[in-house]
Amino acid sequence: DAGITQSPRHKVTETGTPVTLRCHQTENHRYMYWYRQDPGHGLRLIHYSYGVKDTDKGEVSDGYSVSRSKTEDFLLTLESATSSQTSVYFCAISQNRVRDTGLNTEAFFGQGTRLTVV
Amino acid sequence: EDQVTQSPEALRLQEGESSSLNCSYTVSGLRGLFWYRQDPGKGPEFLFTLYSAGEEKEKERLKATLTKKESFLHITAPKPEDSATYLCAVQEVGGTLTFGKGTMLLVSP
């Protein structure tokens, strides 16, 4: 594994409660991403970060917020969890994003967090 | 409309029976095409990046190729340990990764 730790690995929460998922990296990679994976949809980007305090929305950002106060940590918050947010959440890191040329842009993934909202 | 389409959705092979997985894409400016392997309960594991049409990369029994509209992941003489879901993703100029839904491969002994 590429030095990525997601916590918790499993969580069950009630509808309407706030939930925060944590991604911690030891690779000093600039870019960090949060994806969700659902049957029939594949992996979809929620939010990503291209530096400390620099974040942007992905394809399915509604209902989610993120924060990155340190290079190594990227937090995903569900302000008020809903059943539609039951999913497996993956954090990913990469050294360089698409605009950088001549360098590898592959992303490395964590082991995932299985979140169930009841 | 999906930008990345993988086929087939599922594939069952006998050990040693070679085959190919397909990833077709419709993005206008391809920055890179990525192949990942995902085992049940785990995160995707990076396999290959292809940057331009005509490029090929190999790793053990896997070979990835790229044209202007699609990529193939060729599996030669597969073994049961090759069983996994294989994911394809594309990266556009100015964009992030867009994934296909994957092909679930099962190799029987």
Side-chain angles (χ1 to χ4, degrees), chain B residues 25-66:
Chain B
Y25 58 92
T26 57
V27 297
S28 56
L30 182 71
R31 177 66 179 87
L33 187 139
F34 302 80
W35 282 100
Y36 287 84
R37 168 193 171 125
Q38 186 174 24
D39 293 299
K42 297 195 173 183
E45 175 189 344
F46 171 73
L47 292 173
F48 304 109
T49 308
L50 301 167
Y51 293 106
S52 57
E55 189 175 1
E56 299 182 351
K57 288 193 176 174
E58 289 188 63
K59 180 180 180 180
E60 296 181 353
R61 294 176 293 282
L62 301 177
K63 178 181 176 180
T65 61
L66 181 65

Side-chain angles (χ1 to χ4, degrees), chain A residues 9 35 37 40-43 45 48 90 97-111, chain B residues 31-32 34 36 38 41-46 49 51 87 91-101:
Chain A
R9 294 293 312 281
Y35 287 87
Q37 188 173 40
H41 289 280
L43 280 160
L45 182 65
Y48 65 98
F90 288 101
R97 207 188 140 201
V98 63
R99 287 197 178 93
D100 299 322
T101 60
L103 296 170
N104 293 331
T105 56
E106 63 268 21
F108 299 97
F109 284 79
Q111 292 299 296
Chain B
R31 177 66 179 87
F34 302 80
Y36 287 84
Q38 186 174 24
K42 297 195 173 183
E45 175 189 344
F46 171 73
T49 308
Y51 293 106
L87 303 172
Q91 193 172 48
E92 301 174 72
V93 175
T96 51
L97 287 180
T98 301
F99 281 83
K101 296 177 182 177

Side-chain angles (χ1 to χ4, degrees), chain B:
Chain B
E1 180 183 345
D2 289 347
Q3 291 182 297
V4 184
T5 303
Q6 291 189 246
S7 61
E9 290 186 9
L11 180 63
R12 174 171 285 193
L13 300 174
Q14 289 294 120
E15 185 172 2
E17 179 186 1
S18 301
S19 187
S20 297
L21 312 183
N22 177 263
C23 172
S24 63
Y25 58 92
T26 57
V27 297
S28 56
L30 182 71
R31 177 66 179 87
L33 187 139
F34 302 80
W35 282 100
Y36 287 84
R37 168 193 171 125
Q38 186 174 24
D39 293 299
K42 297 195 173 183
E45 175 189 344
F46 171 73
L47 292 173
F48 304 109
T49 308
L50 301 167
Y51 293 106
S52 57
E55 189 175 1
E56 299 182 351
K57 288 193 176 174
E58 289 188 63
K59 180 180 180 180
E60 296 181 353
R61 294 176 293 282
L62 301 177
K63 178 181 176 180
T65 61
L66 181 65
T67 72
K68 289 186 177 181
K69 293 189 174 182
E70 59 190 350
S71 176
F72 290 94
L73 184 65
H74 307 278
I75 304 175
T76 302
K79 298 182 178 182
E81 52 261 43
D82 294 321
S83 297
T85 295
Y86 290 86
L87 303 172
C88 167
V90 299
Q91 193 172 48
E92 301 174 72
V93 175
T96 51
L97 287 180
T98 301
F99 281 83
K101 296 177 182 177
T103 293
M104 186 182 300
L105 174 67
L106 177 63
V107 182
S108 302

Side-chain angles (χ1 to χ4, degrees), chain A residues 21-70:
Chain A
L21 308 184
R22 180 179 183 241
C23 178
H24 178 79
Q25 63 149 327
T26 57
E27 305 295 323
N28 199 35
H29 281 9
R30 179 180 175 187
Y31 299 95
M32 299 186 76
Y33 310 83
W34 277 108
Y35 287 87
R36 61 177 289 175
Q37 188 173 40
D38 305 286
H41 289 280
L43 280 160
R44 292 180 291 174
L45 182 65
I46 305 172
H47 282 279
Y48 65 98
S49 169
Y50 46 96
V52 174
K53 298 186 179 179
D54 292 324
T55 64
D56 206 348
K57 296 180 179 180
E59 177 188 357
V60 290
S61 60
D62 287 348
Y64 302 94
S65 63
V66 289
S67 65
R68 192 170 179 198
S69 58
K70 298 185 289 185

Side-chain angles (χ1 to χ4, degrees), chain A residues 3 17 23-24 29 34 43 54 88 94 96 110 114-115 117:
Chain A
T17 60
C23 178
H24 178 79
H29 281 9
W34 277 108
L43 280 160
D54 292 324
V88 180
S94 69
N96 299 286
R114 183 173 294 277
L115 176 67
V117 183

